[in-house]
Amino acid sequence: MISQLKYNPINPLPESGNITVQSPSNIALVKYWGKKPIQIPTNPSISFTLSKCHTKTTISFEKSDIFSFEFKIEGKENIAFIPKIDSFFKRIKDYCPYLSKYKINIDTKNTFPHSSGIASSASGFSAIALAIVELEQEITGFSENDKYLKASFLSRLGSGSASRSLYGPAAIWGLHEKVPNSNNEFAIEHSDLHQDFKSYQDTILLIDKGTKKVSSTAGHDLMNNHPFSKQRFFQAYENLESMIEILKNGDLEKFISLSESEALTLHAMMMTSNPYFLLMKEGTLSAIEKVWSFRKESDIPLSFTLDAGANLHLLYPKAYKQKVLDFIEGELIVYCEKEHYICDEVGSGAKILKANYA
Ligand code: 2P0
């Protein structure tokens, strides 16, 4: 175990307290798709950290003879997420032995609409993990750097992409020989971005707000016996290096082609899995065609990427915001469920809002 993950208490455990954390979602530019036990990615990935799409979570804790947790969304019990959170606590218990002395209540709220088709696992698990290590910092006094490192490590054990949400404006997760400190166990901050990318916009078209037919976890599993997996993992490894260079020098033309290629390759992997599946909808494809025509006619560097779902993330420099919003209102809004879309932008990562101990 790396030294930062070890638990070295120097202070008594607080009797009780509450910690509130805010953590954002993120959108991968080079995608994580495929993993080995336990939550080890089969290729490195890089993402923009978002800002407005975030989760606010309060953890209230109280000393207890045995560990237990309750999970609520905006004050209401929610059993749908219990199995994944339960498995998260089982995976982290050896790294956080102090948790066995507490009863924990988790209350969480997403700023993006519930069931909007925006994955809440990245922001959700990173928020819980950061709140837990905030408590650990009270007991061990470890540094801010170590706190974020351990929070990213724990987040990964909840949901792989969550490891990247701790850091902004971008984060890299997964070992790459050319990226110092990169590793499979936690993400690292990536801030070597050209000015254009520091305020890059991500407007998310909510094309389908329904629950996905195939979960990401099931999709990752299908990469194990996938006919193209070896080539894909190699390609992603190479793409990571190219993307780092593009983000640094601000080459928008190359950014457009690499980010769109990554998005379509991710979905091509889904379409060629056994069993195959499709997460894009008709509206996704129509909107992509419109983006391509708009880019050609206007010369505005608007591109798209996709998560594991039908919603289209539109990426562009802030200087073009009004022109892109006019285009969305005029031509793309017909593909959005209830005409909903979310205007987000690159952000700075997870933060503690409040911590009280008694
Ligand atoms: C990513 N995605 O890099 C990729 C691209 C979706 C498409 O990571 O099983 O929710 O919880 O580790 O992190 C979604 O998968 O999967 C994902 P688990 P996760 O963002």
Side-chain angles (χ1 to χ4, degrees), residues 18 33 36 44 53 96 122 132 137 139 150 169 183 200 220 241 243 264 280 291 306 331 338 345:
N18 55 73
W33 200 243
K36 296 177 270 187
C53 287
C96 308
I132 289 170
Q137 190 182 34
I139 307 163
K150 187 155 182 177
N183 71 91
Y200 226 59
H220 283 293
E241 198 181 343
M243 186 56 84
L264 294 177
M280 288 189 284
V291 167
L306 292 157
E331 295 197 46
K338 297 194 181 138
E345 61 192 350

Side-chain angles (χ1 to χ4, degrees), residues 154-291:
L154 299 181
S155 299
R156 181 201 108 230
L157 294 172
S159 184
S161 53
S163 65
R164 299 187 309 240
S165 278
L166 275 305
Y167 302 106
I172 295 172
W173 169 45
L175 181 65
H176 195 292
E177 61 173 358
K178 301 234 173 90
V179 183
N181 302 321
S182 65
N183 71 91
N184 289 334
E185 303 205 63
F186 52 88
I188 54 172
E189 180 180 319
H190 184 69
S191 46
D192 192 8
L193 302 192
H194 182 276
Q195 204 56 32
D196 282 350
F197 289 120
K198 287 185 180 156
S199 57
Y200 226 59
Q201 303 292 297
D202 179 6
T203 302
I204 309 161
L205 305 183
L206 301 179
I207 288 169
D208 183 25
K209 299 187 188 179
T211 309
K212 290 182 290 194
K213 291 200 178 70
V214 180
S215 72
S216 288
T217 304
H220 283 293
D221 279 350
L222 291 172
M223 287 305 281
N224 287 326
N225 289 312
H226 195 290
F228 308 138
S229 59
K230 208 171 153 202
Q231 184 56 31
R232 164 59 195 157
F233 301 148
F234 176 73
Q235 178 200 42
Y237 192 87
E238 304 257 289
N239 283 351
L240 185 94
E241 198 181 343
S242 308
M243 186 56 84
I244 288 171
E245 192 54 35
I246 290 167
L247 292 176
K248 182 181 173 161
N249 63 29
D251 187 332
L252 293 182
E253 215 167 288
K254 285 192 179 149
F255 177 79
I256 289 168
S257 66
L258 191 54
S259 52
E260 291 190 348
S261 165
E262 271 290 315
L264 294 177
T265 302
L266 167 72
H267 284 256
M269 290 299 110
M270 300 171 188
M271 290 156 73
T272 49
S273 292
N274 182 12
Y276 47 81
F277 61 105
L278 258 180
L279 295 181
M280 288 189 284
K281 301 281 180 191
E282 279 176 67
T284 317
L285 297 177
S286 304
I288 288 174
E289 298 276 9
K290 288 262 168 92
V291 167

Side-chain angles (χ1 to χ4, degrees), residues 26-33 35 39 45-47 84 119 121-122 125 156 158-162 164 173 212 216-218 220 266-267 270 306-309:
N26 67 74
I27 181 70
L29 301 171
V30 174
K31 314 288 183 181
Y32 149 57
W33 200 243
K35 62 177 166 181
Q39 298 289 96
S45 57
I46 183 167
S47 52
K84 212 168 172 186
S121 65
F125 276 109
R156 181 201 108 230
S159 184
S161 53
R164 299 187 309 240
W173 169 45
K212 290 182 290 194
S216 288
T217 304
H220 283 293
L266 167 72
H267 284 256
M270 300 171 188
L306 292 157
D307 217 333

Side-chain angles (χ1 to χ4, degrees), residues 72-84:
K72 291 184 179 163
I73 298 181
E74 297 188 46
K76 287 195 200 110
E77 295 230 359
N78 189 305
I79 55 166
F81 295 98
I82 298 281
K84 212 168 172 186

